[in-house]
């Protein structure tokens, strides 16, 4: 308040508009700038809702960035012009300039960080082909953008960042030694995603026995959701070293072998024809089956009481195999009964000491 009074006295001594006249003009400019900012914020908001109906994600990100910057940028510009109109004392004007610049830099940094995080998330989703996003890349980009904004802010306020960067470089070595496990998980997570052998949404099975859908890969661990709904948390460094099977790559379609057997008295040509008919029916009618797949029957073993064979089915993804096998066994059992094909079970003949036999 004292600074403002001195500024008004100094303005009166230099001539021009009366002090209160300048205040009124400056206030009008500030109010107009704020009103303009609200208007500019409302326009991108409407465009963002409209862009949400399109399939292209970049227009949503661009309009969101415009909305985040509209109000603060317009208000900061209006206040800066108002400061020029007031013709404050040099020290007061310097403080106002630095304050407005700091607000503008912080706002731009946060808005750009949000835009960059959204862009990275969109790229990761499009390349992975899944709905989930890998937060590790998003968080790294967000931290980098905000960090650059902080350095620019310090430099604009007259704080030299060179000694700060030097101190961070020296201290970074000590931090790296203290956080070896954390950094190992971080770089392992980056390696996992960069290799694109595993992505969020894939169904995997580890050599330790855990299996499920990958929910997310963050800076420290990988989250796997099992079919029962439980979450398995695996550190990235251990996940990168694990031997795993990815059932979604190079494609999600999965071949399923079903073992079956028939009696030795059966007509194998009839068995093959009936089994393929049932398999084709299941492939075409049951959700999860690959309709254009040609099932096959392969006899492979003369068993103790049966001739054993394998039936090859195909499902769209790993979890579809359970309902496909379920329906196939039900329908095959029903069809074998209709066709008179025997599904044998183990039998033993007992020879008595007197020469009689029994089963």
């Amino acid at each position: 308040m004292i600074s403002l009074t001195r500024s008004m006295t100094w303005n009166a001594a230099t001539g021009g508009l009366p002090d209160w006249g300048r205040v009124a003009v400056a206030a009008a400019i500030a109010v107009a700038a704020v009103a303009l900012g609200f208007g500019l914020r409302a326009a991108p908001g409407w465009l963002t809702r409209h862009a949400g109906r399109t399939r292209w994600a970049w227009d949503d990100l661009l309009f969101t960035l415009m909305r985040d910057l509209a109000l603060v940028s317009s208000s900061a510009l209006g206040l800066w012009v108002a400061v020029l109109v007031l013709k404050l004392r040099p020290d007061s004007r310097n403080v106002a300039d630095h304050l407005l610049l700091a607000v503008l830099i912080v706002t731009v940094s946060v808005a750009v960080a949000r835009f960059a995080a959204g862009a990275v998330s969109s790229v990761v989703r499009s390349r992975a082909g899944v709905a989930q996003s890998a937060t590790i890349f998003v968080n790294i980009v967000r931290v980098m953008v905000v960090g650059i904004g902080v350095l620019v802010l310090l430099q604009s306020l007259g704080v030299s960042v060179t000694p700060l960067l030097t101190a961070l470089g020296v201290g970074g070595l000590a931090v790296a030694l203290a956080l070896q496990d954390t950094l190992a998980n971080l770089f392992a997570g980056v390696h996992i995603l960069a290799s694109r052998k595993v992505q969020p949404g894939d169904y995997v099975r580890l050599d330790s026995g855990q299996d499920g859908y990958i929910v997310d890969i963050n800076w420290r661990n990988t989250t796997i959701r099992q079919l029962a709904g439980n979450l398995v948390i695996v550190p990235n460094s251990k996940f990168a070293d694990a031997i795993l099977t990815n059932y979604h790559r190079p494609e999600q379609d999965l071949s399923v072998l079903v073992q079956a057997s028939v009696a030795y008295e059966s007509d194998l040509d009839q068995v093959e024809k009936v089994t393929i008919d049932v398999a084709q029916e299941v492939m075409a009618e049951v959700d999860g089956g690959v309709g254009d797949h040609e099932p096959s029957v392969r006899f492979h073993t003369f068993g103790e009481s049966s001739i054993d064979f394998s039936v090859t089915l195909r499902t769209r993804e790993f979890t579809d195999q359970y309902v496909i096998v379920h329906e196939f066994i039900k329908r095959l059992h029903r069809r074998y009964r209709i066709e008179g094909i025997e599904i044998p079970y183990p039998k033993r003949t007992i020879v008595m000491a007197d020469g009689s036999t029994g089963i």
Side-chain angles (χ1 to χ4, degrees), residues 90-104:
D91 54 347
S92 300
R93 177 178 172 181
N94 186 51
V95 172
D97 289 344
H98 281 81
L99 180 60
L100 293 175
L101 182 60
V103 172
L104 190 60

Side-chain angles (χ1 to χ4, degrees), residues 167-323:
L168 289 176
V170 175
L173 180 60
V175 173
L177 293 175
L179 300 177
Q180 293 184 52
D181 294 340
T182 301
L183 293 177
N185 289 324
L186 173 62
F187 288 112
V190 173
H191 170 72
I192 291 170
L193 291 176
S195 65
R196 298 190 63 189
K197 299 297 177 58
V198 176
Q199 295 287 345
D202 292 350
Y203 191 94
V204 300
R205 173 173 291 163
L206 304 180
D207 55 352
S208 57
Q210 293 94 346
D211 60 348
Y213 289 98
I214 295 180
V215 177
D216 190 28
I217 303 175
N218 57 35
W219 63 274
R220 192 177 190 281
N221 51 54
T222 298
T223 304
I224 300 175
R225 177 175 56 82
Q226 296 181 312
L227 295 181
N230 302 319
L231 295 180
V232 178
I233 311 299
V234 184
N236 289 335
S237 57
K238 293 185 177 180
F239 186 82
D241 293 335
I243 300 174
L244 61 86
T245 303
N246 190 343
Y247 291 99
H248 276 194
R249 296 179 186 274
E251 57 185 12
Q252 294 189 18
D253 290 359
L254 178 71
S255 293
V256 180
L257 291 180
V258 180
Q259 303 298 326
S261 60
V262 292
Y264 275 95
E265 295 78 11
S266 303
D267 183 348
L268 297 187
D269 290 332
Q270 180 192 17
V271 170
E272 181 176 8
K273 180 180 182 303
V274 170
T275 304
I276 290 179
D277 288 345
V278 174
Q280 289 176 338
E281 177 184 310
V282 171
M283 290 290 93
E285 297 179 2
V286 179
D287 187 27
V290 179
D292 57 354
H293 171 66
E294 292 294 334
S296 61
V297 173
R298 296 293 182 265
F299 297 97
H300 56 75
T301 304
F302 287 103
E304 293 184 358
S305 59
S306 63
I307 296 179
D308 303 332
F309 60 94
S310 301
V311 184
T312 304
L313 307 175
R314 197 161 184 85
T315 62
R316 295 177 184 173
E317 66 167 287
F318 182 85
T319 54
D320 291 333
Q321 64 177 305
Y322 301 111
V323 65

